[in-house]
Amino acid sequence: MKHIPRKRFGQHFLSDPAIIDGIVRAIDPRPGQAVVEIGPGLAALTQPLVERVGQLTVIELDRDLAARLRAHPQLTVIESDVLKVDFAQIQPAPPATKLRVVGNLPYNISTPILFHLLPFAGAVEDQHFMLQKEVIDRMVAAPSTSDYGRLSVMLQWRYAMENVLFVPPEAFEPPPKVDSAVVRMVPRADFAPLDVNALSELVQVAFSQRRKLLRHTLGKWLEARAFSGTFDVQRRAEEVPVAEYLALAQAVARSA
């Protein structure tokens, strides 16, 4: 029976063989690696992945699709909302020691998924996700650009990232109304040790009124915490490099 894409799940199924091949080549899966796919859908990417690694764990919320996937002998199916999945409980089988996470993420919840995965970065070798292109532009954005924001700072703190493949709307069924792309995210070994929630709060305050100088937002937030360190609040949030936000978060934590 033909599966009807469900709008409430943000389902757009990849159907272009050349794009699928390009994504698989970008991921470069190898036998024995512990690959976890988020939102496998109709298994367009799942099948070439499992052919290369031998066994695959998939996370699927749609119960009809999950039932189909369970019929595949090489798949371990987690039927769940990915935002409720504890990735620390997905243990890679030897010889693998870390997870490789991939997926065509539902565009309506792509940012929450990225933030959900942040605390598990230490257990992950790399991540390859297909997302709305404008989201990836924000993820990899440099300071002093219109795309640079909270998402840029939070993800660049923990990952080295690059846009590896452009994906046009016609590569999907049904076609979305936006361009897509594939991002590679490799967890940094040299990341600054920080509390993710504390950094998130700081950055959220900083970018809450991005057209105003930081003294109106972050400056008041720092005053409320009796922060006695130095930080130039005569700038806009987008002018501050990632490293400065990280250093400030560490300084605030030390002075608390």
Side-chain angles (χ1 to χ4, degrees):
M1 183 184 295
K2 182 178 173 60
H3 181 82
I4 306 298
R6 295 178 176 173
K7 282 188 178 180
R8 68 190 178 101
F9 291 154
Q11 291 178 337
H12 295 276
F13 298 117
L14 196 57
S15 57
D16 185 317
I19 294 293
I20 293 166
D21 182 61
I23 295 171
V24 173
R25 280 189 283 111
I27 297 170
D28 191 22
R30 305 294 177 89
Q33 291 181 332
V35 179
V36 179
E37 184 183 6
I38 297 170
L42 297 176
L45 191 57
T46 311
Q47 189 55 39
L49 286 174
V50 80
E51 287 172 5
R52 287 160 177 78
V53 297
Q55 190 72 33
L56 197 67
T57 297
V58 297
I59 302 169
E60 178 57 64
L61 175 60
D62 187 314
R63 66 175 181 273
D64 295 337
L65 293 175
R68 290 190 189 195
L69 293 162
R70 280 196 197 91
H72 196 304
Q74 293 167 284
L75 299 183
T76 299
V77 181
I78 300 173
E79 185 179 337
S80 174
D81 177 348
V82 66
L83 297 177
K84 297 177 180 177
V85 173
D86 181 354
F87 281 79
Q89 297 301 311
I90 304 176
Q91 296 297 324
T97 58
K98 292 190 175 184
L99 304 177
R100 303 193 69 197
V101 188
V102 305
N104 172 17
L105 301 189
Y107 293 170
N108 55 345
I109 58 164
S110 59
T111 299
I113 292 173
L114 293 169
F115 280 121
H116 177 67
L117 284 163
L118 257 177
F120 304 110
V124 170
E125 182 179 334
D126 58 19
Q127 298 173 168
H128 290 80
F129 295 133
M130 182 149 51
L131 299 160
Q132 197 169 329
K133 181 181 176 294
E134 68 176 40
V135 173
I136 294 179
D137 289 343
R138 286 162 45 210
M139 292 166 68
V140 303
S144 299
T145 64
S146 60
D147 285 327
Y148 183 73
R150 177 173 173 246
L151 192 64
S152 321
V153 176
M154 293 300 298
L155 295 182
Q156 289 176 34
W157 159 56
R158 202 60 186 83
Y159 304 96
M161 297 179 293
E162 61 177 317
N163 183 338
V164 294
L165 185 69
F166 173 77
V167 183
E170 55 269 23
F172 299 88
E173 183 60 45
K177 296 178 181 178
V178 296
D179 289 332
S180 305
V182 176
V183 65
R184 175 180 293 125
M185 308 172 67
V186 181
R188 296 182 181 277
D190 59 348
F191 70 99
L194 286 168
D195 177 82
V196 62
N197 295 320
L199 177 63
S200 180
E201 182 183 350
L202 185 155
V203 176
Q204 192 164 15
V205 170
F207 284 95
S208 61
Q209 299 180 62
R210 56 184 301 149
R211 293 187 180 182
K212 290 188 175 182
L213 294 178
L214 283 170
R215 61 186 171 87
H216 298 289
T217 53
L218 192 57
K220 292 180 178 178
W221 185 85
L222 291 170
E223 283 176 18
R225 280 152 186 76
F227 177 67
S228 58
T230 57
F231 184 78
D232 180 7
V233 293
Q234 296 302 118
R235 298 175 286 178
R236 291 183 174 84
E238 66 188 42
E239 297 177 283
V240 181
V242 173
E244 284 196 47
Y245 280 119
L246 302 182
L248 178 61
Q250 287 178 311
V252 171
R254 283 196 300 269
S255 65

